[in-house]
Structures are given as structure tokens and as C-alpha cells.
Amino acid sequence: MWRGLVALEGDFDWADRNFYWSVSASRGVTRGERSGWDTWTSRLENAVNAVSSGGQPVCAVNADASTTNDAPGCVPINIFGSGVITNAMRDYVAVPVGEKFENTQDDLLATIGGELFALPAGPASFSLAYEYRREKAEFNPFDANRLGLVGSGTPSSATRGAYNTNEFSAEVLAPVFGGDFTLPFVKSLELSGAYRVVDNSIAGKENVWGAGLRWEVVTGLTMRASRSRNFRAPTLDQLFAPSSTTLDSIAQNPCDSDRINSGPNPAVRLANCQALFAANPGWGPLVGFQDPGENFTNVLVTTGGNPNLKNEISDTTTFGVVFQPTFAPGLTVVADRVEVELNDGLSAFTPQNFLATCFDSSPKPADVCSQFTFNSQGQVATARSTTFNAGTVRYEGEIYTVNYAFDVADAFRRAADWGRLELGLEVTHNALLETSVTGFDYNRTDDTTVTPDWVSRFDARYSRGPIRLSYTMNYLPVSKVNRFDTTETTPTPVIDENIRHNLSGEYRFGDYAIRAGVINLTDEEPSYPTRNYGDILGRQYFIGLNAHF
């Protein structure tokens, strides 16, 4: 990986005002590979099909009457027992798999800014910018992947892609009140605005903007608010990652007898499943239907990029208050409300997501339901895993923070150096998180293990001279894997709370600092039966040395 940058900057005076400017050009290249080992499918089939010849095991293809199917070098393998695999067996069937990739980014940026005009509280300022960016990626599978030697035997092709963007932006900042120019209950008032036009050669053109307000009512009490329209373009990996097909599980089939009466709208799910089975009478009865793909890796799942992705667009509103009381120096209390409505959200969709979205929607979205097929028994035969533009995502929540920093000696009214203590508490309330691919059928995931309703973190940091000590507690509340889980649909519908503690310390001496700590001090496991609601790695220790030259 390397990056080169050339930049010029300067300033000039005009009309009794000072202006600054800058021009820069850069190129960055990242090369790497993702690699591992897999089993050469045809060789494994030959190796396990062993027969006895002269009292010794040999591969059957080399012992039959035909010479056209001989496999030179075939090493017979006994898959039963422990410790029976020799190096020769492993070398015969093991093959390196993966891909090499190269990402290149070229960027050209020019800016100019300065003061527009004078206001009673200070000058109004502006900034203008133009940016050109080009991104290119190449993905080259290893020979085993390219030739389809592993897994289901589906070859992976080399892929490449590129896009470029032209962006124009403008920002203004206007201090309306402040300094010596105030009003009752308006100690300061600052307005800000921004506008940007982005033209992406693949995802299209977007106009985004933002507006903000900062109002200091009295000393120590500040109100703030903002409204913005933002976007996120799909990455090269999301667009052009090479496709590969392997046998995998679908995790959940909505029409399975264990799932058919659940979901965000059980009546819609049931009706869609009944209609599908009625249209395919050869599949057999829906009652008691079980899809083995839930528990076994017997579904051909294709993963890779999605060249049809669009930009993700979001409208965000925030408003809050900052309280820094003069009677308690070092204390800061912040409360912010956040509301986001996101359209065409770039979401990682697994087979389970495509299936659930299809059968939980009315009418069923054709572009989603076309991502999987069924066999003659109604079981999922093929499926896809890729990035997908989910229709709408809505989020509402609040973030509350309290920070208090003080000298320990001051708490005891002592004139001494006992060090400084900083205490911090952050609480996030996820009031609403719902997703819809169709735009009218919403699936809520707030108050679940994916997005718990209340999440909190407490920090305590102590410092004195060269010593730094810190403690952190992370809290996850009681929750559910799915909001609609019950004892009838899920063996363990309610997931217990999860609390983890971390400790660390640092000692500085000269140009060096040694640090050590413990992550997950009490070795708290993820709350049963999940593997991700908590820390699956358990207790961890670390030690390090920093040196400055």
C-alpha cells in the first residue's frame, strides 16, 4: 500500500479581506490478497473411493480396467478415525484458494475560502471546493477458484471496474450574535449552511445539503439543531466483487413449519407461503414442511458484487442541548435527539434476508423474490448473498452523555496534587429502527440483540504525572433476537443482559510509554444462546510499548 500527495496552498488580500486557497493531487494504491485452503473436490472424490489391491488401499480410478480415468498421484484417504490423515493425503487434496486485489484512487482537490462580509458578531465566512476522484479495482481469483476446483465446482471469473466523481461544494458560516452584540437570552447565535453536487459515473448525480444552528441561551446553556440531506455511494467491492458459488445454509426459510406463524406480519407470511405451495402442488403439503437447508449446507449460495446498486440517500434531523454549569466546573451534560430516514439503503443481504423480505411483503417484490429458486420438494435450491438497496430505513433515538473532570484533591478541599479523575457516562436509546424493502411493509429491529433499546457505557480515567489508569464498563440490556419471538417460535426468546469490564494502565518515562490491560475482566460470555450479544473472545490480555524518536 502506498500513497503520494502533492499540494500547494497560499492566501491573498482583496477588497480589504483575506482569502486562502489550496490545490492538491494524490494517488493511492492498495494491493493485497485474501487466501486460505480448501479441498479439491474431484481429488477428494477419487481419494475416498478407495479399494484394496494386493492388500494395499489404492484409488479405485487407478485400479479399474479403464486407463482413461486414471488419476496419477492419487493418494487414498480413510475419512474415518482420528489422526489418520497423513501429510501425503493432505497435500493431494488441499489447494490454496482466494483472490488477489488491487484498488487505485486518484484525487484532485481545489479550495478557496475567506470572509464575505462583516456582521456585528464577526465576519461571515465561506468555502468553495471542487474535487475529482477516480476509483478503480481489480479482483483476480486464485487458479483453484478460477477453474472451479473447489466447492460446487462453479468457476470464479476475474472482475474489474471503475468509476469517477465530480463534486462541487459550498459552505457558509454566519455568527449573527455574539461577543459584545447580544440580546436577552441570546448570548450567541451562529448559523451554518452547506451545499454539494456530486456526479458519480455509475450511481448518478446527487444534490446534498445541510443547515445548522447553534444558540447559546445563557452562559453554560447551549441549544443546537441541524437538518441535512446526505448520500453514500456504493463501493467498488459492493459493485464488482467477483462471484463465487458454494454449498451453504440459508439459516431460516419463512415457510418452514417452525417459522410460518412468525415474522413482522404472520398473516402475510402465511398467505404468501400458502399461495406458493398451492401453485406448486407437486411439492406436497405445506403443513409440517421442513427445509433441510436451515440446518445443512445443501444450498448453492452465490456471493459477489451487485453492479445495479444505486446511491443511498438519507435525511437527518438532530437537535439537542449542552449544559456546562458554572457552579460545577468540569461538568458537561449533553442530550441529543437523532432522526434519520434513509432510502435505497446499501444493506448486506443474506439468503435469509431475501427470503424473509419476499414472504413478509405484500405484494411480493419481484426483484427480491428472484434471488432464490426451489427444487421439486419446495426446498430452497439456490440463493444469493450480496449488497442490496433496501427500500427505506427509519431510525429515531437519543444520545445522553455526562462527563465530569476534576482534580481529586479539590474534592477533599486539599491543596495537593492527588491526580485528576475523569468520569463519563454515555447512554443511547434506540427508540425506533425499521426497514422496508417495498416501502410500505416495515420490519422493526429495535429492542433486539441487533439494536438494543438502551445501551450504555461508563468510563473512569485517572491520571497523575506519568501514570494513566482507566476502567470501562459496557452494558447491553435484556433483549430478543427478533421482536416477535415467543416460546412457541423460539426456544429462548429472551436474551439476558450482558455486562463487560475492561481495565488498562499506562506509565510514561522519557520518550517511552508502557501500557497493559485486560479486556473482558470477568470473562463474560455472550448471552446464551447467541454468539454475538457480548464478547465471544472472552478475557484477553495485552501489553505494549510506545517509543517516540
Side-chain angles (χ1 to χ4, degrees):
M1 180 175 66
W2 63 269
R3 181 174 183 266
L5 172 69
V6 177
L8 295 173
E9 61 181 27
D11 68 291
F12 61 93
D13 294 322
W14 182 72
D16 297 326
R17 295 179 179 86
N18 182 258
F19 299 87
Y20 65 86
W21 62 270
S22 68
V23 178
S24 65
S26 67
R27 162 167 279 207
V29 177
T30 300
R31 297 185 181 94
E33 67 177 45
R34 290 180 281 265
S35 61
W37 292 88
D38 205 340
T39 303
W40 193 326
T41 304
S42 61
R43 285 192 173 188
L44 179 63
E45 293 172 349
N46 290 336
V48 298
N49 184 19
V51 296
S52 178
S53 177
Q56 297 294 322
V58 297
C59 297
V61 293
N62 292 335
D64 57 19
S66 174
T67 59
T68 59
N69 63 347
D70 285 357
C74 181
V75 180
I77 293 178
N78 178 12
I79 60 175
F80 301 102
S82 176
V84 297
I85 304 298
T86 65
N87 288 336
M89 298 175 185
R90 186 181 297 109
D91 292 342
Y92 178 68
V93 299
V95 61
V97 294
E99 65 180 9
K100 294 183 178 181
F101 60 87
E102 178 176 309
N103 295 339
T104 303
Q105 183 189 79
D106 296 307
D107 187 88
L108 175 65
L109 175 64
T111 66
I112 186 171
E115 299 176 0
L116 284 172
F117 50 83
L119 290 172
S125 57
F126 80 99
S127 175
L128 300 176
Y130 166 75
E131 183 176 15
Y132 170 82
R133 188 173 74 254
R134 184 175 188 271
E135 305 255 3
K136 181 178 71 173
E138 296 182 14
F139 303 91
N140 293 291
F142 285 9
D143 288 344
N145 304 90
R146 183 176 54 82
L147 298 174
L149 303 182
V150 296
S152 63
T154 303
S156 296
S157 301
T159 60
R160 64 177 59 190
Y163 69 84
N164 62 75
T165 64
N166 287 280
E167 305 182 20
F168 299 88
S169 63
E171 298 181 14
V172 294
L173 179 65
V176 181
F177 293 96
D180 297 330
F181 186 73
T182 63
L183 291 175
F185 301 109
V186 186
K187 185 174 178 62
S188 70
L189 179 64
E190 186 177 86
L191 304 177
S192 61
Y195 186 81
R196 185 159 56 118
V197 179
V198 182
D199 189 1
N200 185 298
S201 61
I202 290 180
K205 179 182 286 189
E206 298 294 345
N207 299 308
V208 295
W209 53 269
L213 175 149
R214 185 178 179 275
W215 169 27
E216 187 177 2
V217 184
V218 295
T219 300
L221 180 63
T222 301
M223 314 292 286
R224 58 189 184 185
S226 68
R227 173 74 174 171
S228 64
R229 182 175 178 83
N230 308 290
F231 89 104
R232 182 165 68 106
T235 66
L236 289 170
D237 190 64
Q238 292 171 328
L239 289 164
F240 303 118
S243 295
S244 62
T245 302
T246 58
L247 289 170
D248 206 344
S249 165
I250 58 170
Q252 293 185 7
N253 184 332
C255 296
D256 191 280
S257 59
D258 296 332
R259 322 283 181 193
I260 197 168
N261 292 313
S262 59
N265 193 334
V268 170
R269 175 178 290 192
L270 176 62
N272 283 331
C273 291
Q274 288 175 335
L276 179 67
F277 272 71
N280 296 274
W283 290 0
L286 176 60
V287 177
F289 171 73
Q290 297 279 328
D291 192 331
E294 286 198 342
N295 302 305
F296 300 98
T297 56
N298 62 347
V299 179
L300 290 173
V301 177
T302 300
T303 61
N306 181 358
N308 299 316
L309 293 174
K310 299 179 292 185
N311 287 332
E312 172 185 279
I313 306 296
S314 65
D315 293 302
T316 303
T317 301
T318 67
F319 51 90
V321 58
V322 180
F323 182 47
Q324 296 174 301
T326 55
F327 59 81
L331 175 64
T332 301
V333 181
V334 180
D336 285 307
R337 170 75 174 182
V338 180
E339 298 178 357
V340 180
E341 182 165 334
L342 186 148
N343 294 304
D344 294 325
L346 294 166
S347 307
F349 262 49
T350 64
Q352 178 181 346
N353 300 130
F354 281 117
L355 285 160
T357 301
C358 174
F359 286 95
D360 291 335
S361 302
S362 179
K364 294 162 64 177
D367 57 340
V368 174
C369 299
S370 64
Q371 305 298 321
F372 48 86
T373 63
F374 302 95
N375 62 20
S376 58
Q377 287 80 44
Q379 303 158 359
V380 177
T382 66
R384 193 178 182 197
S385 180
T386 188
T387 305
F388 192 77
N389 284 112
T392 302
V393 178
R394 294 177 182 168
Y395 174 81
E396 296 178 6
E398 304 91 39
I399 302 173
Y400 306 93
T401 59
V402 179
N403 290 285
Y404 187 36
F406 59 93
D407 291 331
V408 177
D410 291 346
F412 298 91
R413 299 183 179 180
R414 299 287 184 178
D417 181 12
W418 290 357
R420 187 168 180 82
L421 184 63
E422 298 180 32
L423 304 176
L425 176 65
E426 180 178 286
V427 179
T428 301
H429 177 214
N430 298 303
L432 173 70
L433 179 59
E434 56 183 8
T435 305
S436 171
V437 174
T438 62
F440 51 83
D441 290 320
Y442 286 89
N443 178 29
R444 291 186 61 174
T445 54
D446 56 279
D447 196 16
T448 69
T449 54
V450 176
T451 312
D453 56 348
W454 290 95
V455 179
S456 59
R457 169 176 171 150
F458 173 76
D459 291 287
R461 294 180 293 273
Y462 173 80
S463 61
R464 182 173 185 269
I467 298 174
R468 304 285 189 275
L469 301 174
S470 66
Y471 162 78
T472 300
M473 181 192 73
N474 294 285
Y475 172 78
L476 297 174
V478 173
S479 192
K480 292 183 175 182
V481 175
N482 300 292
R483 289 178 62 93
F484 47 79
D485 282 348
T486 65
T487 53
E488 287 77 20
T489 61
T490 307
T492 310
V494 178
I495 307 302
D496 289 339
E497 65 182 9
N498 193 278
I499 304 175
R500 287 161 289 138
H501 308 269
N502 303 327
L503 285 176
S504 65
E506 181 181 270
Y507 183 79
R508 298 178 179 272
F509 52 99
D511 293 329
Y512 302 92
I514 186 170
R515 52 190 173 81
V518 183
I519 300 173
N520 196 354
L521 177 67
T522 59
D523 199 22
E524 179 77 6
E525 297 180 352
S527 299
Y528 178 84
T530 72
R531 291 179 292 177
N532 57 359
Y533 202 59
D535 180 10
I536 196 171
L537 298 178
R539 186 187 295 115
Q540 305 163 63
Y541 303 91
F542 68 88
I543 187 170
L545 176 68
N546 292 338
H548 299 274
F549 301 99

